[in-house]
């Protein structure tokens, strides 16, 4: 078995090359699907005899697609090596177990990038080994996890992956004292933020933001048009969204969740098949997710502007002393015109106490 991102010693160069090809194939799968993006390449005597990738829920898995491709080419599969980006599943859902499909095809060796963290589907490697198939896992693991994206974190944490987005002045304000907030960041930063929206399954704001700012929460292209994928627009809180609100206009489905509990929000969205959540505001909602320890990544757009007063990006976190601060570990810094995007992950810590009955 190999370490993260490093080919296993027992893996041939041709198999590593096949894994890179399988990762390319996996990226062809749908980004917004309840199932992971998986690719598979079949080798016989070092030659590719079949390729496949998962095209979405209810369609053949990558291994089955690759086997079908080999049959279509008139290539035998007995004794072949299957190079696959995710451990073959061992359960029956809309399709049958890939482990059994590989056994029935006579595959003699399976090279895997990422072992399946899903306890419902895992076990394919064990079944294959028990049947005498040579199985190697962990090949290009880092690359494999990168292609799987938030799906891995969603399965491992049993909830959607949460990104907190802020757009602030240099002194951490999201609005001036009179409430004006358009625009603190530049057009370049806002364009990038729309690209981020287009990548997620749901955007979440509190009722305070929805009523005060009347946002549309859509993902738009450079020309201002709606992109093909529109995330769910989720409003959290007790107050209703007005009938004339822009949130009821063109864009993703509007979901109103009458709760102040971030865990309940994620549970409700997870039940809808949501894997990635973008929390956009306001300050009280951001603080609630941070206090609950339910933020996986922070995207902080910072403009070279000083306001000196006005609403902060994050409300009271219950931090009484510097030692209690929520610490972040930066992973990247990206200049965007005059602005800067800082991407960071919270350092794990115990959740902070959440004050009851807050209006978000």
């Amino acid at each position: 078995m190999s370490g993260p991102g490093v080919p296993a010693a027992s893996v041939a160069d041709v198999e590593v090359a096949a894994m890179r090809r399988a990762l390319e194939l996996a990226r062809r799968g749908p980004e917004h699907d309840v199932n992971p993006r998986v690719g598979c390449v079949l080798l016989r005597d070092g030659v590719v005899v079949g390729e496949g990738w998962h095209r979405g829920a209810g369609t053949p898995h990558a291994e089955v697609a690759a086997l079908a491709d080999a049959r279509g080419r008139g290539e035998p599969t007995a004794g072949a090596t299957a190079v696959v980006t995710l451990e073959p599943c061992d359960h029956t859902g809309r399709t049958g177990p890939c482990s059994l499909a590989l056994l029935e095809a006579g595959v003699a060796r399976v090279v895997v990038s990422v072992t399946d963290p899903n306890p419902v589907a895992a076990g394919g490697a064990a079944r294959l080994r028990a049947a005498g198939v040579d199985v190697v896992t962990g090949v290009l693991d880092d690359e494999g996890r990168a292609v799987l994206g938030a799906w891995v974190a969603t399965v491992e944490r049993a909830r959607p992956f949460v990104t907190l987005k802020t757009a602030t002045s240099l002194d951490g304000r999201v609005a001036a004292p009179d409430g004006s907030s358009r625009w603190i960041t530049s057009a370049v930063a806002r364009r990038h933020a729309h690209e981020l929206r287009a990548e997620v399954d749901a955007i979440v704001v509190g009722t305070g933001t929805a009523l005060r700012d009347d946002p549309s929460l859509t993902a738009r292209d450079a020309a201002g048009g709606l992109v093909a994928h529109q995330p769910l627009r989720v409003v959290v809180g007790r107050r209703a969204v007005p009938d004339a609100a822009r949130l009821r206009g063109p864009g993703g489905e509007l979901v109103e969740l009458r709760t102040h509990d971030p865990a309940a929000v994620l549970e409700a969205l997870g039940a809808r098949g949501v894997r990635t959540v973008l929390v956009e505001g306001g300050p009280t909602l951001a603080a609630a997710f941070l206090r609950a320890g339910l933020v996986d990544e922070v995207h902080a757009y910072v403009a070279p502007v000083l306001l000196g007063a006005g609403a902060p990006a994050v409300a009271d976190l219950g931090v009484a002393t510097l030692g209690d601060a929520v610490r972040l570990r930066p992973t990247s810094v990206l200049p965007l015109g005059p602005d800067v995007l800082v991407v960071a992950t919270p350092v794990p810590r115990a959740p902070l106490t959440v004050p009851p009955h807050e209006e978000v």
Side-chain angles (χ1 to χ4, degrees), residues 180-196:
S180 59
S181 60
R182 298 184 179 179
W183 299 103
I184 289 177
T185 55
S186 67
V188 178
R190 296 196 299 275
R191 173 86 289 278
H192 188 277
H194 274 279
E195 293 173 359
L196 177 61

Side-chain angles (χ1 to χ4, degrees), residues 42 49-50 63-77 101 104-105:
L42 294 177
V49 297
E63 299 92 323
V64 174
L67 291 169
D69 183 43
R71 288 193 295 270
R73 301 183 190 195
E75 296 282 358
T77 56
E104 291 169 358

Side-chain angles (χ1 to χ4, degrees), residues 80 82 87 116 150 156 200 227 242 249 266 268 278-279 286 317 330 354 357:
E87 177 186 359
D116 197 331
E156 292 176 342
V200 301
V227 301
L266 296 184
L278 181 63
V279 176
L317 288 173
V354 181
H357 309 305

Side-chain angles (χ1 to χ4, degrees), residues 22-360:
L23 292 168
E24 291 178 9
L25 294 171
R27 292 186 184 94
R28 298 182 183 181
E31 291 186 48
H32 304 282
D33 192 80
V34 294
N35 290 340
R37 296 197 291 176
V38 182
C40 179
V41 172
L42 294 177
L43 299 174
R44 273 186 61 86
D45 300 322
V47 177
V48 175
V49 297
E51 295 184 336
W53 67 94
H54 186 46
R55 299 170 185 263
T59 66
H61 288 189
E63 299 92 323
V64 174
L67 291 169
D69 183 43
R71 288 193 295 270
R73 301 183 190 195
E75 296 282 358
T77 56
T81 294
V83 179
V84 60
T85 59
L86 180 66
E87 177 186 359
C89 68
D90 196 48
H91 83 299
T92 300
R94 297 187 188 181
T95 59
C98 291
S99 56
L100 291 181
L102 292 172
L103 289 174
E104 291 169 358
V107 168
R109 178 173 165 85
V110 176
V111 178
V112 174
S113 178
V114 181
T115 54
D116 197 331
N118 185 354
V120 175
R127 180 188 289 273
L128 290 163
R129 287 191 180 106
V133 175
D134 182 22
V135 179
V136 178
T137 61
V139 177
L140 302 182
D141 179 82
D142 279 354
E143 290 90 331
R145 292 177 70 89
V147 171
L148 289 167
W151 179 86
V152 172
T154 298
V155 172
E156 292 176 342
R157 301 169 194 184
R159 61 166 177 80
F161 184 90
V162 177
T163 298
L164 171 63
K165 177 210 150 191
T166 61
T168 71
S169 62
L170 196 59
D171 52 348
R173 307 292 176 174
V174 295
D178 66 354
S180 59
S181 60
R182 298 184 179 179
W183 299 103
I184 289 177
T185 55
S186 67
V188 178
R190 296 196 299 275
R191 173 86 289 278
H192 188 277
H194 274 279
E195 293 173 359
L196 177 61
R197 284 182 174 184
E199 295 174 358
V200 301
D201 298 326
I203 302 174
V204 180
V205 299
T207 52
T209 296
L211 296 174
R212 179 181 62 253
D213 297 344
D214 190 24
S216 60
L217 299 185
T218 53
R220 296 183 177 274
D221 58 26
L226 296 177
V227 301
H229 168 73
Q230 290 296 316
L232 294 178
R233 298 180 286 186
V234 183
V235 178
V236 175
R238 305 296 184 192
R239 293 174 287 179
V241 175
D243 291 342
R246 293 204 299 164
L247 283 168
R248 298 191 183 278
E253 178 187 354
L254 173 62
V255 178
E256 297 182 74
L257 298 177
R258 304 303 172 86
T259 179
H260 293 149
D261 182 0
V265 171
L266 296 184
E267 182 178 2
L269 295 178
R272 285 174 163 264
V274 168
R275 293 182 300 157
T276 50
V277 169
L278 181 63
V279 176
E280 286 208 359
T284 304
L285 186 67
F289 272 85
L290 285 167
R291 283 194 303 260
L294 293 175
V295 173
D296 301 301
E297 191 169 74
V298 175
H299 284 226
Y301 295 87
V302 183
V305 176
L306 295 173
L307 293 175
V314 179
D316 183 10
L317 288 173
V319 173
T321 182
L322 189 59
D324 294 335
V326 176
R327 300 284 180 176
L328 304 176
R329 182 180 297 113
T331 58
S332 69
V333 178
L334 177 66
L336 294 169
D339 307 324
V340 172
L341 169 63
V342 178
V343 179
T345 56
V347 176
R349 54 164 296 154
L352 295 160
T353 301
V354 181
H357 309 305
E358 284 198 87
E359 181 56 73
V360 296

